[in-house]
Amino acid sequence: MAQKKTKRIVLDIGGMHCATCAQTIEKRLPKINGVIYATVNLAAEKAIIDYDPTQVDQQAIEDTINDVGYKVIHQSVSLKIGGMHCAVCAQTIEKALNKKEGIYKASVNLALETATVEYNPAQISLAGIQKVIRDVGYEVIEPEKGAGDAEQKERDREIRSLKIMLAFSAIVTVPIILYSNARFLPFTLPTLPIDNFTPLLLFVLATPVHFIVGHRFFVGAYKALKNKNPNMDVLVTIGTSAAYFYSVYVTFTGNGKLYYTTAVSLMVFLILGKLLEAIAKGRTSAAIRKLMGLQAKTARVIRNGEETEIPVEDVQVGDIVLVKPGEKIPVDGTVTDGYSAVDEKVITGESIPVEKNVGDQVVGATINKTGMLKFEATKVGADTVLAQIIKMVENALGSKAPIQRLVDVVSSYFVPAVLLIAASTFLVWYLTGSTFTDALTVLIAVLIIACPCAMGLATPTAIMVGVGKGAENGILIKSGEALETAHKLQAVVFDKTGTLTKGEPEVTDILTADYIVDNSEQKSVKKMGEDELLKLAAVAEKNSEHPLGEAIVKKAREKHLEVVDPETFDAIPGQGVEVTTGGLKLLLGNRKLMQTNKVNIQPLEKTMEKLEEDGKTAMLVAVDGKAAGLIAVADTLMEYSVDAVKALQGMGLEVIMLTGDNQRTAKAIAQQVGVDRVLAEVLPSDKANEIKRLQQDEKVVAMVGDGINDAPALAQADIGIAVGSGTDVAMETGDIVLVKDDLRDVVISIQLSRATMNKIKQGLFWAFAYNAALIPVAAGVLYPFFGILLEPTFAAAAMAFSSVSVVTNASLLRRFKPKLK
């Protein structure tokens, strides 16, 4: 059966106000045939959708979002085009652009020589659009006009609109409050031309506030009710409308109490709360926007012996790129000429520049500080480290932590419950002898004081800040679930080679043994020379990719020994290698390999044990079935590995080392690094099983590794942590990726998780506590002791404060600083 082809899109969503808005979209999208998965992050205002393109297209998905009352934010840019001569030229560019995935609409004006493009920046960049135009033979001769971060532009527009609405409602509210309370003022207000004109004046002033300023809430309420998913806007609309329309009734009948002050004051506080919330949410995503603005715009390449400056999107794999001091490195590559120090802080978070020589790797968006560098481009476009980081961060922002799912369930019942409480409160007050106006006052207070927004914002806002803070420090957290799970960890398992140790071992000892040579005519005892033993071992390991084998080959070449290709080569997982060369059968590996082939290693056993006690890995060499000697290789500890282990133990976590080495060598390394528990002699295929055994002991386990052999274990662990210098497979499998080779980042990632979860718990606690305490208060539980608490204006202020305080508290996570001793 053919496997379904799944595509993923990331969309910026506008018009969401609370958790119910996000839920409305989430519930609707999976009903579309072909949509496999959809999640919406309220704080990030993004939707991530996986779908089958053979069943549904992106336009249908966006139409559905628009149909339920929200909007997909598109970016628009105008580009000046050079080289067009006729209508066919314009049509050529239009067709090329409109065929490109991520471009919604492109139109080219021949007379103005401009192309106007509407596109999704998550699918195609501005540089990508320019490349399409250049690829069909035309030139972009003027930079974009008005291009930028569409999400930020939309947020800025929203903030401007809220400021205008706030100013308007506040100015109008002042005379309403004054004339409503004229008898209490120490001064006399201007006399109105007609007796009893005050109610009409208040009606004239309050009406535009209610309908113009309140328009956003009414539209939101309509959308929510249309989708049968009532939200905060429904509560606000019912509460403010009850106050306003009852006041209109009193104005024209003369029977009852006016509530215009309440209606407009509610709007002032509600708009103020929305404004403060929008500003706070904008600050939480600052780190992500900064990350996305790091890409270089141009690159200087050497083609046909000439230096040419080209757009970065035109750089191809294999191009030789030249970077001068002070310039930004445009793409990833390998240095071919030059020496310099490179500031990699934007990627790794490390403030000290890193020296780069021929053969070293450079990463796009980092800054060349001192010398001139030439490098061969190895990764361009979406394959660069920065592009992958941005992709990981975007996916993480769109994901949900498990705790958020519980909050979503609670939020879905919250508004109907508040409506029921408000209606019941009204009836109780009215039926127990209170006036209609008093009962109405309490109903309005209950509706307004309830705040589902605070509950909906607590988790996604904190996760957005946490993920951004991690990215700033070179820690890529792939999902909200990973960020939440990390704080529950009880055990951290480290792979040894390449993780706790550098994975760059060196030969330390070459010891030969007497062995019997059978030359068919007679048997004789021979002692092989050290160089001869090393040469044979190097031949055996020449085709091996194991770090220990590479150390042997390196040592042989340092001694200028000839290392020929073996005639046959067979790698035996977890044991060693078997080769033939020059008529000899060579075995090189551990005790298990020798035991399997019935090689007597007794004369070498004591020497081998001594080397292993010193933390060295001893590899046995056998020639034609006889032990010929051993070669010891030692690996050095990764910098800061001791500090990382000590810090984790200080946090109450069990630290375990996992290795294929024998017990003696493994324990020696573990002793050096400070690890108490060792899982040794573990075959690569069994690493995941060892993790599973730990989990069966009801432990929440993290696995830290870097290689292909670690990928199954990384996937099996509750949290897989891949070090950044490792393989693409390990990085793809890991839930958390450490960009730099500093194991202290394992500590920081767990501390960041704990800090984030603290903020989430604080936000949820105050959100639930606020509603649990103040809804009964608004319903009159404390009446008459705290009569002021029944005032709807107080309720609006309290509701606004609730949302703002939760978002602001989560934003404080930006001050997070790791604690490393």
Side-chain angles (χ1 to χ4, degrees):
M1 184 181 291
Q3 190 175 5
K4 281 186 178 180
K5 182 183 178 183
T6 302
K7 291 183 70 174
R8 167 167 288 190
I9 51 172
V10 180
L11 302 175
D12 290 325
I13 308 296
M16 296 192 296
H17 303 295
C18 64
T20 312
C21 299
Q23 289 174 27
T24 300
I25 301 171
E26 281 186 349
K27 288 179 180 178
R28 181 66 184 87
L29 288 177
K31 293 180 181 179
I32 304 173
N33 187 34
V35 172
I36 301 163
Y37 168 83
T39 182
V40 179
N41 186 302
L42 172 63
E45 298 180 326
K46 290 183 183 292
I48 292 184
I49 303 113
D50 292 337
Y51 67 100
D52 182 353
T54 62
Q55 295 182 281
V56 65
D57 61 15
Q58 183 174 333
Q59 188 60 52
I61 293 171
E62 294 193 15
D63 288 344
T64 300
I65 294 172
N66 293 327
D67 288 344
V68 296
Y70 304 92
K71 63 179 178 179
V72 178
I73 300 171
H74 295 170
Q75 185 128 297
S76 183
V77 62
S78 180
L79 300 172
K80 191 77 173 176
I81 309 298
M84 293 193 296
H85 306 292
C86 62
V88 176
C89 296
Q91 291 172 13
T92 300
I93 298 172
E94 269 189 12
K95 287 180 181 178
L97 288 170
N98 285 316
K99 285 180 182 177
K100 198 70 177 175
E101 186 177 49
I103 294 178
Y104 300 109
K105 183 181 178 183
S107 60
V108 179
N109 187 308
L110 177 62
L112 297 176
E113 295 185 315
T114 58
T116 303
V117 186
E118 191 176 325
Y119 66 104
N120 180 357
Q123 292 176 286
I124 185 170
S125 65
L126 174 62
I129 295 171
Q130 293 173 329
K131 186 175 188 301
V132 172
I133 296 170
R134 292 190 183 99
D135 285 348
V136 292
Y138 300 91
E139 185 183 0
V140 181
I141 59 175
E142 188 176 296
E144 69 278 12
K145 295 178 181 177
D149 186 341
E151 180 189 352
Q152 182 60 28
K153 280 186 174 182
E154 181 68 17
R155 197 184 300 280
D156 291 342
R157 187 202 62 77
E158 171 80 356
I159 290 173
R160 281 195 303 272
S161 173
L162 288 169
K163 285 180 178 178
I164 293 170
M165 292 295 102
L166 178 62
F168 171 68
S169 58
I171 291 169
V172 174
T173 299
V174 171
I176 292 176
I177 293 174
L178 291 176
Y179 276 99
S180 297
N181 299 279
R183 65 184 183 279
F184 301 114
L185 298 177
F187 54 87
T188 303
L189 292 171
T191 305
L192 297 174
I194 304 174
D195 291 339
N196 295 324
F197 188 67
T198 299
L200 289 174
L201 173 66
L202 298 182
F203 166 72
V204 171
L205 291 173
T207 297
V209 174
H210 182 71
F211 288 102
I212 296 174
V213 179
H215 177 263
R216 64 173 51 241
F217 300 109
F218 304 151
V219 172
Y222 169 74
K223 295 175 186 175
L225 293 174
K226 176 185 175 184
N227 293 294
K228 300 177 182 178
N229 207 13
N231 62 1
M232 186 206 75
D233 291 332
V234 173
L235 301 180
V236 169
T237 298
I238 294 175
T240 57
S241 296
Y244 171 77
F245 285 111
Y246 180 72
S247 299
V248 173
Y249 166 78
V250 172
T251 297
F252 293 101
T253 63
N255 299 319
K257 178 182 176 182
L258 293 174
Y259 276 95
Y260 287 123
T261 302
T262 296
V264 295
S265 297
L266 290 177
M267 286 298 177
V268 171
F269 281 112
L270 291 170
I271 292 296
L272 175 61
K274 284 292 178 188
L275 174 61
L276 295 175
E277 183 183 307
I279 292 171
K281 284 165 67 178
R283 287 173 182 161
T284 61
S285 59
I288 309 304
R289 293 197 306 275
K290 180 180 176 183
L291 191 67
M292 293 179 179
L294 292 175
Q295 295 102 325
K297 301 295 187 291
T298 61
R300 189 181 292 104
V301 299
I302 300 174
R303 291 179 177 172
N304 301 321
E306 293 186 2
E307 227 179 84
T308 309
E309 189 166 316
I310 62 173
V312 70
E313 66 273 10
D314 289 344
V315 178
Q316 299 176 2
V317 172
D319 274 344
I320 299 299
V321 183
L322 177 66
V323 186
K324 296 179 179 179
E327 292 184 340
K328 187 177 287 186
I329 293 173
V331 296
D332 300 356
T334 304
V335 176
T336 58
D337 186 26
Y339 167 82
S340 183
V342 175
D343 182 353
E344 297 183 336
K345 185 176 181 180
V346 294
I347 300 294
T348 66
E350 181 61 59
S351 58
I352 301 174
V354 180
E355 293 184 356
K356 299 293 182 180
N357 286 297
V358 174
D360 290 337
Q361 302 297 311
V362 291
V363 179
T366 57
I367 307 295
N368 181 28
K369 300 292 286 185
T370 53
M372 187 178 292
L373 288 177
K374 286 183 183 178
F375 68 89
E376 180 181 348
T378 55
K379 290 183 179 179
V380 299
D383 295 328
T384 62
V385 169
L386 180 63
Q388 293 299 311
I389 289 174
I390 292 172
K391 183 180 178 182
M392 286 183 190
V393 170
E394 281 185 335
N395 288 341
L397 291 183
S399 68
K400 285 193 175 183
I403 194 171
Q404 178 65 29
R405 299 188 186 107
L406 174 62
V407 175
D408 287 346
V409 172
V410 174
S411 297
S412 65
Y413 292 103
F414 182 81
V415 174
V418 171
L419 291 172
L420 181 61
I421 292 171
S424 302
T425 301
F426 174 83
L427 290 174
V428 169
W429 276 70
Y430 187 67
L431 296 176
T432 54
S434 297
T435 64
F436 176 83
T437 56
D438 287 341
L440 180 65
T441 299
V442 178
L443 177 141
I444 295 170
V446 171
L447 291 174
I448 296 300
I449 208 164
C451 187
C453 285
M455 290 186 291
L457 287 168
T459 300
T461 306
I463 284 178
M464 183 161 66
V465 180
V467 169
K469 197 66 184 176
E472 280 183 6
N473 287 278
I475 299 168
L476 307 181
I477 301 164
K478 289 188 176 180
S479 67
E481 184 172 359
L483 191 59
E484 178 180 338
T485 304
H487 93 285
K488 303 176 185 176
L489 290 173
Q490 297 165 298
V492 179
V493 180
F494 285 95
D495 175 57
K496 181 183 79 72
T497 305
T499 305
L500 282 175
T501 64
K502 290 183 178 179
E504 298 174 359
E506 295 180 353
V507 174
T508 58
D509 302 88
I510 303 173
L511 301 171
T512 61
D514 294 336
Y515 73 101
I516 299 174
V517 179
D518 187 352
N519 57 14
S520 74
E521 295 180 2
Q522 61 179 1
K523 292 182 179 180
S524 61
V525 177
K526 181 180 178 182
K527 188 176 182 72
M528 186 176 290
E530 289 185 6
D531 284 356
E532 188 179 359
L533 182 67
L534 178 61
K535 178 180 176 180
L536 289 175
V539 170
E541 291 286 6
K542 186 175 182 181
N543 294 326
S544 172
E545 295 181 356
H546 196 284
L548 300 180
E550 290 177 354
I552 291 174
V553 175
K554 181 181 177 182
K555 185 68 174 180
R557 285 177 173 156
E558 286 176 359
K559 287 195 165 194
H560 305 291
L561 302 176
E562 185 183 4
V563 183
V564 299
D565 287 322
E567 294 156 12
T568 64
F569 176 87
D570 185 18
I572 304 167
Q575 296 186 30
V577 296
E578 177 181 326
V579 304
T580 57
T581 180
L584 299 175
K585 177 185 176 183
L586 303 181
L587 296 173
L588 187 146
N590 57 21
R591 290 179 178 84
K592 195 173 290 184
L593 178 68
M594 300 303 161
Q595 290 168 0
T596 302
N597 289 273
K598 299 179 180 179
V599 176
N600 180 20
I601 59 171
Q602 191 61 38
L604 297 170
E605 190 63 47
K606 287 186 178 180
T607 303
M608 193 171 182
E609 289 176 4
K610 175 65 172 61
L611 292 169
E612 290 169 346
E613 286 170 359
D614 293 336
K616 299 175 181 179
T617 299
M619 290 179 286
L620 294 157
V621 182
V623 180
D624 289 337
K626 308 299 179 182
L630 57 81
I631 296 177
V633 177
D635 198 356
T636 53
L637 294 181
M638 189 74 76
E639 190 177 12
Y640 303 124
S641 59
V642 175
D643 296 337
V645 169
K646 186 177 180 180
L648 290 170
Q649 291 169 337
M651 293 165 65
L653 298 169
E654 181 182 9
V655 182
I656 302 167
M657 188 179 83
L658 182 64
T659 179
D661 283 349
N662 62 75
Q663 287 283 355
R664 192 174 288 107
T665 302
K667 285 181 178 178
I669 297 294
Q671 188 174 9
Q672 291 176 31
V673 81
V675 175
D676 296 326
R677 184 174 177 186
V678 178
L679 300 175
E681 300 180 25
V682 180
L683 295 175
S685 58
D686 288 336
K687 287 184 177 181
N689 291 331
E690 292 293 340
I691 300 296
K692 192 180 295 184
R693 290 189 189 96
L694 292 170
Q695 291 170 325
Q696 288 169 352
D697 293 335
E698 298 185 352
K699 291 181 186 290
V700 182
V701 182
M703 171 69 191
V704 185
D706 74 320
I708 293 175
N709 290 339
D710 300 326
L714 290 170
Q716 176 62 43
D718 297 285
I719 291 290
I721 302 177
V723 294
S725 63
T727 64
D728 290 340
V729 176
M731 292 179 70
E732 186 67 29
T733 310
D735 301 296
I736 297 174
V737 176
L738 310 182
V739 176
K740 56 182 185 289
D741 292 328
D742 189 340
L743 293 184
R744 293 178 301 178
D745 286 349
V746 175
V747 181
I748 296 173
S749 62
I750 297 172
Q751 289 179 348
L752 181 59
S753 170
R754 292 181 177 183
T756 304
M757 287 307 300
N758 283 339
K759 288 300 179 187
I760 290 174
K761 289 174 181 177
Q762 288 168 13
L764 291 177
F765 171 80
W766 288 114
F768 281 111
Y770 162 88
N771 285 293
L774 293 188
I775 290 177
V777 168
V781 170
L782 299 181
Y783 185 81
F785 303 106
F786 296 98
I788 190 174
L789 299 181
L790 301 182
E791 279 296 319
T793 305
F794 169 82
M799 190 275 278
F801 175 77
S802 175
S803 289
V804 173
S805 63
V806 166
V807 175
T808 303
N809 183 55
S811 299
L812 293 177
L813 189 60
R814 289 184 297 141
R815 301 179 182 177
F816 167 82
K817 291 184 179 179
K819 297 177 182 178
L820 296 171
K821 295 181 179 179

